[in-house]
Amino acid sequence: MESRIKRIYEMCEHDKPDIVVLANATDPMLDKTFFYATGLGNSGVFEGSYIFCFPDGKVEMITSILEEESAKKGNFPVHTFMTQDERKEKIAGYLKGVDSIGINAKELVHSQYMLLKELAPHAEFIDMSKAVRDARVVKDEAEIETTRIACRIASEAAEEIIPFIKPGIKESDIAAELVYLMQKKGANGPSFDSIVAFQENSAEPHYRAGDRVLKDGEFVLMDFGALYNRYVSDITRTYFMGQPNEKQKKIYNTVLESQLASLDMIKDGVKGADVHNTAAEIINATEFKGRFTHGLGHSIGLSVHDGSGLSPAVDITLKEGMLFTVEPGIYIPGFGGVRIEDDVVVKKNGVEVLTTASKELITI
Ligand code: GLY
Ligand code: MN
Ligand code: MN
């Protein structure tokens, strides 16, 4: 993936390192940038594997022989090892005579950093984690197309789950069914542990799914996504079991209004914080003031939280090709909450919304 590696080097504000080394530890401590730089799809785990990236965009890999067939799907040289000694020897070969080594300090585990230092004691180490984040935040067409598929799968599941939702069902039943639906549609798995929260549990933004049983008149908040060729989608829909009361309806309509207003202002050149503030102002002008308790959205890609966000805490100007979630919510402790979340691509003059499941107030 020459263009991606060149991008990482271009984004480096420091002197460019002679080589960038990206290393995986044990699952889940795998550096997603390893997959960004190689473009490897679904197969292979690549624990304990290394890639070496060069300023001309070339990449080479050292991996266990067990990953050889998966690694060969990439278009770059692969060197395999059978023993740890052999692995160390091959890594040392790449570092010989190198003066500066770029690392992704946010993902590299300490033991591997110590190994690199042992093998290249005189080299300067340069933290490339900001360059990596800045390179990855603007997606190329292949990344956007893969995310489109992940979003389509999740959107279809959000609609097809509706007949399954009935009084007496458990949160965990819906969570399991969502994963089943998505995998039947070609997902490699869920992109994170699904959140399914009934009524009072929906006031907890990062709830999971438990054995709470659904009753008539309750919120059904579902936040889930599909993993497809290592890229994620992340969608939230909140439905009603039966008819909502006035308070539930007002919460839903306020969240929807704030979401539509923020979607409307997203385009190349707009500040991420301003998009958040638009949604927050709409919510804070109601009786639900102060109950929108998180940032409006986050970048997605190989990770669900891919390094950037739409929030007053993040200084970012939106650029064409960035992928963000837009997910305002209102959370009333002890009562319940609503969140509506879509995934969007920033365009020159607006957005493309990739998650297409209906946002009309849905009663079941
Ligand atoms: N699913 C977690 C989030 O929306 O950030
Ligand atoms: Mn989500
Ligand atoms: Mn999200």
Side-chain angles (χ1 to χ4, degrees):
M1 283 280 165
E2 253 181 63
S3 58
R4 294 183 187 173
I5 293 166
K6 284 185 183 162
R7 247 181 96 68
I8 293 173
Y9 271 97
E10 271 163 31
M11 294 292 161
C12 177
E13 289 160 1
H14 192 282
D15 293 337
K16 317 282 180 209
D18 295 337
I19 192 169
V20 174
V21 182
L22 299 171
N24 287 337
T26 311
D27 190 21
M29 288 173 290
L30 306 174
D31 186 346
K32 298 287 170 70
T33 308
F34 180 98
F35 300 100
Y36 176 74
T38 56
L40 285 168
N42 184 42
S43 58
V45 178
F46 297 103
E47 287 181 331
S49 303
Y50 278 64
I51 54 171
F52 303 88
C53 307
F54 301 95
D56 64 357
K58 297 279 187 293
V59 60
E60 300 196 15
M61 180 185 287
I62 292 176
T63 189
S64 159
I65 191 144
L66 86 89
E67 302 285 13
E68 189 172 24
E69 289 310 301
S70 302
K72 279 192 334 206
K73 292 177 183 167
N75 186 23
F76 49 80
V78 175
H79 307 281
T80 59
F81 61 83
M82 301 268 280
T83 66
Q84 291 307 311
D85 283 347
E86 218 185 312
R87 170 176 174 257
K88 197 166 162 179
E89 202 178 295
K90 291 195 173 179
I91 297 168
Y94 278 98
L95 302 184
K96 207 160 171 228
V98 161
D99 290 327
S100 54
I101 301 173
I103 54 169
N104 186 7
K106 286 210 164 138
E107 301 290 333
L108 185 68
V109 304
H110 187 254
S111 58
Q112 276 160 333
Y113 175 60
M114 294 308 283
L115 176 65
L116 294 176
K117 275 178 68 108
E118 177 193 326
L119 298 176
H122 304 297
E124 179 193 4
F125 283 81
I126 297 172
D127 179 9
M128 298 289 282
S129 53
K130 184 173 177 300
V132 158
R133 184 200 64 195
D134 291 347
R136 279 175 46 184
V137 75
V138 177
K139 270 64 184 179
D140 58 38
E141 199 37 59
E143 294 182 285
I144 293 171
E145 189 46 38
T146 307
T147 308
R148 257 192 205 106
I149 297 170
C151 288
R152 178 179 50 71
I153 291 170
S155 300
E156 288 177 7
E159 297 194 324
E160 290 176 26
I161 195 71
I162 292 173
F164 190 82
I165 301 173
K166 294 182 172 60
I169 202 167
K170 286 191 283 199
E171 292 164 337
S172 56
D173 293 327
I174 297 178
E177 189 69 15
L178 284 168
V179 174
Y180 176 76
L181 283 170
M182 292 193 292
Q183 289 212 224
K184 289 276 278 185
K185 292 172 181 298
N188 305 127
S191 51
F192 55 91
D193 289 343
S194 307
I195 298 169
V196 178
F198 299 156
Q199 197 55 30
E200 72 284 352
N201 291 338
S202 57
E204 194 182 329
H206 279 167
Y207 182 77
R208 293 274 173 86
D211 55 8
R212 168 74 157 80
V213 170
L214 182 60
K215 297 196 286 283
D216 202 38
E218 294 190 326
F219 288 131
V220 179
L221 183 153
M222 297 169 297
D223 181 347
F224 61 97
L227 185 69
Y228 185 79
N229 264 348
R230 300 192 188 271
Y231 282 78
V232 307
S233 54
D234 180 10
I235 182 173
T236 307
R237 290 294 182 267
T238 308
Y239 300 150
F240 295 89
M241 185 67 251
Q243 288 307 310
N245 62 32
E246 282 312 305
K247 183 171 178 181
Q248 287 171 315
K249 228 191 295 183
K250 182 143 194 225
I251 294 173
Y252 190 88
N253 288 331
T254 305
V255 173
L256 182 58
E257 186 191 341
S258 71
Q259 206 239 11
L260 295 175
S262 46
L263 283 174
D264 242 15
M265 69 178 291
I266 296 177
K267 61 177 179 186
D268 189 289
V270 168
K271 288 229 168 250
D274 292 344
V275 184
H276 169 96
N277 291 337
T278 295
E281 277 162 22
I282 289 172
I283 293 170
N284 288 337
T286 69
E287 69 205 77
F288 310 118
K289 181 167 189 228
R291 299 316 317 158
F292 172 30
T293 51
H294 52 71
L296 180 67
H298 51 87
S299 55
I300 58 167
L302 288 158
S303 297
V304 177
H305 294 151
D306 205 42
S308 188
L310 305 175
S311 148
V314 180
D315 180 17
I316 189 170
T317 300
L318 305 186
K319 283 205 180 65
E320 204 171 357
M322 289 181 175
L323 278 175
F324 283 101
T325 67
V326 180
E327 50 177 310
I330 292 175
Y331 309 97
I332 317 283
F335 177 77
V338 169
R339 179 165 63 258
I340 301 173
E341 175 175 29
D342 282 316
D343 302 340
V344 306
V345 190
V346 178
K347 299 280 189 189
K348 193 155 181 34
N349 293 309
V351 281
E352 176 186 346
V353 180
L354 302 182
T355 38
T356 52
S358 172
K359 292 182 286 196
E360 294 294 302
L361 191 156
I362 291 179
T363 58
I364 299 168

